[in-house]
Amino acid sequence: MRNTRSSMEGFAREALERSMSYDAHQSVMLNRVVYGTEDEDTNGSDEAEQFEWQVTVCCDELLFSDSNSIFLVDHAWTFEPGSIRESLEKVPGLKERMASLMDIEGNNPGELIDAIAESVWRFCRHYKVSPFDNPELLRQNPELQYLRWYVLDEVGSRIGHSDEPTARMIPFFYIPRGICYSVFWPLRDLHRDDAITVDYVEHVKDASLRPYYLLPWQPQDHSEDSVNHTYTLTDEFFGLLLIRSHLTDPRFTLTDKPEEAQILWLLEHFKEFA
């Protein structure tokens, strides 16, 4: 992770070409927080150590208005879902790095790959790319956009979630190098030991839906939740009156006689099987 030493406006031109420096450790720090009790005797215990990662401010202050408070984060792994196992098997060092980043232990290569493939969805994010730059065309044809999945580096992946985040992080595609980074910056002034957090599902504004989107990081039992919703289709939806009201294209003519029709809109089964 790197401090950009530039404003967001001049990020692409300055930060990645001239003034990018590896000095983020002067502003933020990665902490491994281990949980336990004072009288707990861990000698000889086989229980897994309970811990979590936190990224905190390690300087006196990290100001929202300071251009030095914009940080660049490398992407450790960019992949397509169908190539996960192939990448882990063939790219030297990738399997070991991902296992360390995801806190997965083990020596068996096959089991390690299985564990990484299962855990990667808690760490990956995505952005969209397209060879077309026409917004209206892309809006009407979303299939022209391609998802690129990625895992942030060791520090970026360990920035925690909060419903009231202290920072925001977004992907940033740098065209001159043909590579994607991420940048994050504080949403308010932060001080020493303040936690740096982001909202993992900031695009979900409906509070009732957020728990479902957060399931990979905040497991909950929703088996008793009601499945009722406002999109239940009634018989009226399928009625001919609704079709007559909305099917106004002059290329179509409606008829009540099946033998005259080329397209049948049926409310009952088309064949008697008895």
Side-chain angles (χ1 to χ4, degrees):
M1 187 176 72
R2 290 163 271 186
N3 189 319
T4 68
R5 299 296 184 193
S6 66
S7 67
M8 284 294 291
E9 181 179 357
F11 175 77
R13 179 170 51 85
E14 299 176 14
L16 293 175
E17 292 294 347
R18 296 198 303 271
S19 56
M20 187 169 59
S21 57
Y22 291 83
D23 60 354
H25 65 280
Q26 299 176 9
S27 302
V28 300
M29 179 171 60
L30 180 62
N31 305 280
R32 188 173 187 267
V33 182
V34 179
Y35 295 99
T37 59
E38 293 183 358
D39 58 350
E40 182 179 22
D41 183 8
T42 58
N43 293 331
S45 174
D46 293 330
E47 294 185 5
E49 189 177 55
Q50 299 297 314
F51 67 90
E52 70 173 5
W53 293 99
Q54 290 183 355
V55 177
T56 59
V57 177
C58 64
C59 58
D60 290 336
E61 56 186 9
L62 207 61
L63 301 180
F64 170 74
S65 60
D66 188 351
S67 62
N68 288 339
S69 297
I70 303 170
F71 297 89
L72 181 146
V73 184
D74 289 313
H75 293 181
W77 181 22
T78 301
F79 63 91
E80 295 182 1
S83 66
I84 288 178
R85 292 182 178 276
E86 182 180 5
S87 297
L88 292 170
E89 291 171 351
K90 295 183 177 181
V91 178
L94 178 62
K95 175 171 74 275
E96 291 74 18
R97 183 179 184 184
M98 288 298 107
S100 175
L101 185 150
M102 300 177 189
D103 298 305
I104 297 173
E105 298 181 352
N107 297 315
N108 183 292
E111 293 178 356
L112 211 54
I113 289 176
D114 288 342
I116 294 171
E118 182 177 350
S119 299
V120 70
W121 306 108
R122 292 191 295 111
F123 294 87
C124 67
R125 305 159 189 248
H126 72 266
Y127 57 90
K128 296 179 180 179
V129 295
S130 175
F132 304 96
D133 60 0
N134 185 324
E136 183 62 22
L137 175 66
L138 296 177
R139 186 186 67 81
Q140 296 179 0
N141 302 275
E143 67 275 7
L144 297 178
Q145 301 179 78
Y146 308 97
L147 288 180
R148 301 296 301 273
W149 296 86
Y150 64 94
V151 175
L152 296 167
D153 68 13
E154 283 74 4
V155 175
S157 290
R158 287 161 176 162
I159 294 178
H161 164 78
S162 174
D163 291 333
E164 298 180 357
T166 60
R168 189 181 182 211
M169 183 184 300
I170 60 172
F172 183 93
F173 195 86
Y174 187 53
I175 294 178
R177 292 187 180 179
I179 191 171
C180 191
Y181 302 91
S182 287
V183 291
F184 81 84
W185 63 94
L187 295 175
R188 56 180 174 83
D189 292 346
L190 301 177
H191 302 87
R192 186 179 297 276
D193 296 330
D194 283 347
I196 296 176
T197 58
V198 296
D199 185 352
Y200 287 173
V201 293
E202 66 175 13
H203 62 289
V204 183
K205 306 303 180 183
D206 188 334
S208 65
L209 296 178
R210 286 179 61 85
Y212 301 102
Y213 281 86
L214 286 169
L215 277 174
W217 308 281
Q218 298 178 355
Q220 298 183 44
D221 182 4
H222 294 286
S223 59
E224 300 299 325
D225 291 2
S226 172
V227 295
N228 294 329
H229 51 75
T230 59
Y231 303 106
T232 302
L233 302 180
T234 64
D235 291 340
E236 182 182 1
F237 177 84
F238 298 99
L240 193 58
L241 180 61
L242 191 65
I243 298 175
R244 291 185 185 278
S245 300
H246 295 280
L247 188 58
T248 57
D249 192 305
R251 293 175 298 174
F252 296 92
T253 301
L254 296 177
T255 177
D256 294 325
K257 299 178 180 180
E259 62 274 12
E260 296 179 354
Q262 295 174 303
I263 300 175
L264 299 178
W265 186 270
L266 303 175
L267 300 182
E268 298 178 352
H269 208 287
F270 69 93
K271 181 178 180 179
E272 179 61 56
F273 289 95

